[in-house]
Amino acid sequence: MLSETMMERLNEQINNEIYSAYLYMSMSACSTYTGLKGFANWFMVQYQEEMSHAMKIYDYINDQGGQVLLAAIKEPATEFESQLDMFEKTLTHERFITGCINDLVDLAIAEKDHATNIFLQWFITEQIEEEGNDNDIITRLKIVGEDGNGLLMLDRELAARVFAPPAASDT
Ligand code: OFO
């Protein structure tokens, strides 16, 4: 069973995850517009991942007998200076999400809510992976710099990313 506070905070996190999806969808649209379809694909897969994170929390609240309460989603940025700018903003946003997850874990520990604490561990691991991916792409974009061929090579690579829904045992 969830405390009122925990239920509210988990509902806020659903909103954060859907906002993340919306932000990456916006980055995908901007990448398409500038002709970088591989980057567009990468961000669209990220959109799908974020929606699956939102659904994971949605299902958890329901499983715990709580009530899912959806709220308005903030408008995402629609203009970016470059692919590097997008990934730097992605990393900044993911660091914010990591902070939110850490705060939720702190609350679960303070409330002795072991079930929610265990549930949130998946997100802790996921955040390590997401920040790692963003850092990796930022490093490579810095190496590429103004080199158009390098950017197109990276674009081809990012075109190969596919969405892998979390395994049943993870949900
Ligand atoms: Fe970008 O990660 Fe969700 O939680």
Side-chain angles (χ1 to χ4, degrees):
M1 189 185 147
L2 300 171
S3 71
E4 276 298 314
T5 310
M6 182 58 85
M7 199 170 81
E8 248 172 56
R9 300 283 297 283
L10 288 171
N11 270 303
E12 277 170 24
Q13 193 56 28
I14 290 181
N15 194 282
N16 287 335
E17 300 292 345
I18 296 179
Y19 171 75
S20 304
Y22 211 26
L23 176 64
Y24 300 140
M25 189 190 223
S26 180
M27 290 180 179
S28 180
C30 288
S31 300
T32 299
Y33 189 66
T34 54
L36 293 167
K37 292 192 176 157
F39 281 89
N41 172 67
W42 194 95
F43 282 114
M44 200 49 95
V45 170
Q46 198 56 35
Y47 157 85
Q48 289 175 292
E49 284 211 354
E50 299 303 346
M51 289 305 293
S52 77
H53 299 168
M55 287 311 299
K56 226 173 156 61
I57 303 170
Y58 177 102
D59 289 339
Y60 179 72
I61 293 175
N62 285 330
D63 287 347
Q64 291 287 310
Q67 186 178 9
V68 171
L69 294 166
L70 301 178
I73 308 297
K74 193 171 66 171
E75 183 182 334
T78 53
E79 281 178 31
F80 305 93
E81 284 166 26
S82 61
Q83 300 310 116
L84 180 59
D85 182 39
M86 280 185 204
F87 273 95
E88 282 175 337
K89 289 193 165 104
T90 297
L91 180 59
T92 301
H93 180 66
E94 288 305 325
R95 286 178 175 155
F96 162 74
I97 295 291
T98 300
C100 295
I101 300 290
N102 287 343
D103 290 347
L104 280 168
V105 171
D106 287 347
L107 178 65
I109 291 170
E111 291 188 348
K112 296 189 176 20
D113 180 350
H114 302 296
T116 304
N117 188 9
I118 289 170
F119 168 72
L120 290 168
Q121 297 308 305
W122 182 91
F123 286 86
I124 299 267
T125 309
E126 176 68 11
Q127 286 310 116
I128 296 169
E129 191 190 312
E130 289 206 7
E131 288 192 31
N133 289 342
D134 298 338
N135 270 317
D136 177 52
I137 296 172
I138 286 170
T139 304
R140 292 161 73 197
L141 279 168
K142 283 183 177 165
I143 293 168
V144 165
E146 298 298 312
D147 173 14
N149 283 334
L151 191 63
L152 287 174
M153 270 176 65
L154 188 52
D155 189 61
R156 264 201 299 279
E157 193 183 314
L158 299 186
R161 187 182 189 199
V162 287
F163 173 60
S169 59
D170 290 343
T171 57

